[in-house]
Amino acid sequence: RSSDLGSSVVTAVFATWSSAMSDAGKLFIGGLSFSTDDASLEAAFSPYGALTNCAVVMDRETGRSRGFGFVTFENPDDAAEAMRAMNGVSVDGREIRVDRAGKPSGGGTGSRGSRGGSGYSRGGGYGGGRDYYGGG
């Protein structure tokens, strides 16, 4: 029984590690034209390195592009170069946005960092004005 638990833990750790490793070269591509398909997205990004995956996300009900996709490079350094070179470039008549896929890279420099806690700093919540406690 304990050996089953041990192998389950090892499998879970490996799955997490391999998922993180495979996402190292994965980029989110936003602002795509509805006419952009997998082949044209691949053509736009393949000059920067070997791709392991390239997909425009499609709406299940309509079968139409949702306007974003993902490309995954074998080499994370190629992904970084493609992100620098392609962000803001026009593909199929639309200016695209290129970011690392998944979680924000951290550092608090993005829009998430600037919004944090703003709703509580305007006198609301438990630390609000005296009116909330009877003014006494």
Side-chain angles (χ1 to χ4, degrees):
R1 214 185 212 343
S2 64
S3 66
D4 289 344
L5 177 61
S7 66
S8 295
V9 170
V10 169
T11 301
V13 168
F14 178 75
T16 302
W17 174 80
S18 66
S19 173
M21 292 306 290
S22 67
D23 287 350
K26 188 172 187 178
L27 300 177
F28 166 85
I29 317 300
L32 292 174
S33 165
F34 292 122
S35 67
T36 301
D37 59 12
D38 293 354
S40 59
L41 188 61
E42 183 174 355
F45 282 86
S46 62
Y48 297 96
L51 299 174
T52 60
N53 194 17
C54 179
V56 173
V57 177
M58 307 302 274
D59 185 283
R60 278 185 275 180
E61 293 179 19
T62 65
R64 195 173 142 170
S65 167
R66 294 189 58 197
F68 67 94
F70 297 92
V71 295
T72 306
F73 286 86
E74 278 184 17
N75 182 342
D77 293 335
D78 293 342
E81 176 59 27
M83 185 170 62
R84 281 189 293 274
M86 293 295 289
N87 192 38
V89 169
S90 180
V91 173
D92 294 334
R94 293 280 311 260
E95 185 177 306
I96 63 170
R97 183 175 64 109
V98 182
D99 290 309
R100 290 228 179 259
K103 296 179 182 173
S105 58
T109 58
S111 61
R112 290 178 191 248
S114 64
R115 285 188 301 212
S118 63
Y120 296 106
S121 62
R122 295 194 173 128
Y126 294 111
R130 285 180 279 202
D131 295 341
Y132 294 122
Y133 302 105

